[in-house]
Amino acid sequence: MFKWNVFAPARPVAYAFAFALIGALAVVATGTNSVAEEKKAAPKKKDTPKAAPKQEPQQAQPEAPQLIFSPWTKFCLKGQEANAKQVCFTGKDGRVESGQPVVAAVLIEPEGEPRKILRVTLPLGMSLQPGTRVIIDQGQPMTGPYVICFNNGCMADYEASDALILIMKKGQGLVVQGINGAGQPISLVLPLNDFAKAYDGPPTDPKVFEDQQKKLQEELQRRAEEARKKLEGQQK
């Protein structure tokens, strides 16, 4: 597990940015009980003639929510200590119309460190034992355990080699997968079309980022209002 301190920004907006990228709220997880808890042992029965096995209906996979994505954004932060090193984040999140984040991914680059982290976040309520999977386009899946959970979600870290970053630059979608508490697979895709530009470009100015977040919030509110009016029309 990597133990870099990535929460040392000097400005309040930086705190908001770091948590917006790294955190995700519980939206797609449909249950909190593990599969093992749901499968209780059945009582033993006397031997009876064996009947044809009954086919259990296949469990339908939960429909992926319609997400609104923030653009890939690069932000570089530095602590207030004299010898503090700069840490750069390049991240993106996906939210539902209510504004709640559902999935997030962020590339973390501490200054002077040879290793980089690709950190993905899924909501609370996920089944922890299976861990997570990350796939870029149709590439080879990578698996990783959850390393820590906060109130805003559970996180898994992947070592981001130069080769992986190059694949992300050329890729179309970053697929983040997990198993929710009901034992159902969750698969969410973060578009990569603007990753290379953000990663290779200069860090975003905090004021520009705040403006982007304001526009995103306004768009979310607009969509939520449209959905409310549509629902009211259907009820009438």
Side-chain angles (χ1 to χ4, degrees):
M1 182 192 304
F2 298 91
K3 296 183 179 179
W4 296 321
N5 180 13
V6 298
F7 297 107
R11 302 175 62 174
V13 66
Y15 278 104
F17 178 83
F19 280 100
L21 291 180
I22 299 174
L25 299 179
V27 176
V28 297
T30 59
T32 56
N33 295 327
S34 66
V35 179
E37 292 174 342
E38 294 177 356
K39 294 183 178 179
K40 296 182 180 179
K44 293 183 178 180
K45 297 181 180 180
K46 295 181 180 180
D47 293 337
T48 56
K50 293 183 179 181
K54 183 179 179 181
Q55 294 184 352
E56 296 291 338
Q58 292 185 353
Q59 189 177 22
Q61 295 186 9
E63 184 178 353
Q66 295 295 320
L67 300 181
I68 300 172
F69 295 99
S70 65
W72 283 98
T73 306
K74 183 177 181 179
F75 207 106
C76 293
L77 314 172
K78 193 170 184 178
Q80 296 177 333
E81 298 82 1
N83 59 346
K85 293 183 178 181
Q86 179 174 265
V87 181
C88 287
F89 305 83
T90 305
K92 184 185 192 79
D93 68 16
R95 311 179 187 188
V96 291
E97 290 183 350
S98 64
Q100 292 179 315
V102 174
V103 62
V106 58
L107 188 68
I108 306 171
E109 298 182 276
E111 180 184 6
E113 294 285 349
R115 289 185 175 181
K116 306 177 181 67
I117 286 180
L118 173 63
R119 174 167 291 175
V120 298
T121 305
L122 287 172
L124 293 175
M126 304 296 288
S127 182
L128 298 181
Q129 186 175 2
T132 64
R133 288 210 317 174
V134 167
I135 307 169
I136 300 175
D137 296 337
Q138 306 299 320
Q140 187 70 22
M142 300 177 291
T143 59
Y146 292 101
V147 295
I148 195 168
C149 291
F150 290 112
N151 292 336
N152 51 1
C154 292
M155 306 170 192
D157 288 350
Y158 293 82
E159 184 173 349
S161 63
D162 292 339
L164 178 64
I165 294 173
L166 182 60
I167 294 173
M168 290 178 65
K169 287 182 179 181
K170 297 179 179 180
Q172 298 297 314
L174 174 67
V175 184
V176 181
Q177 297 179 333
I179 304 296
N180 68 12
Q184 298 170 318
I186 298 296
S187 185
L188 302 165
V189 184
L190 289 158
L192 287 168
N193 56 315
D194 55 342
F195 171 77
K197 182 179 179 180
Y199 180 82
D200 292 331
T204 301
D205 183 88
K207 292 184 178 180
V208 174
F209 173 74
E210 287 181 312
D211 290 339
Q212 291 176 346
Q213 291 298 298
K214 183 178 179 180
K215 291 179 181 179
L216 177 60
Q217 188 62 33
E218 290 173 352
E219 175 65 13
L220 292 169
Q221 291 176 350
R222 183 186 66 80
R223 295 196 183 192
E225 181 66 16
E226 289 178 354
R228 182 185 65 81
K229 290 181 179 179
K230 184 179 180 180
L231 180 60
E232 290 178 351
Q234 292 174 348
Q235 291 175 345
K236 290 180 180 179

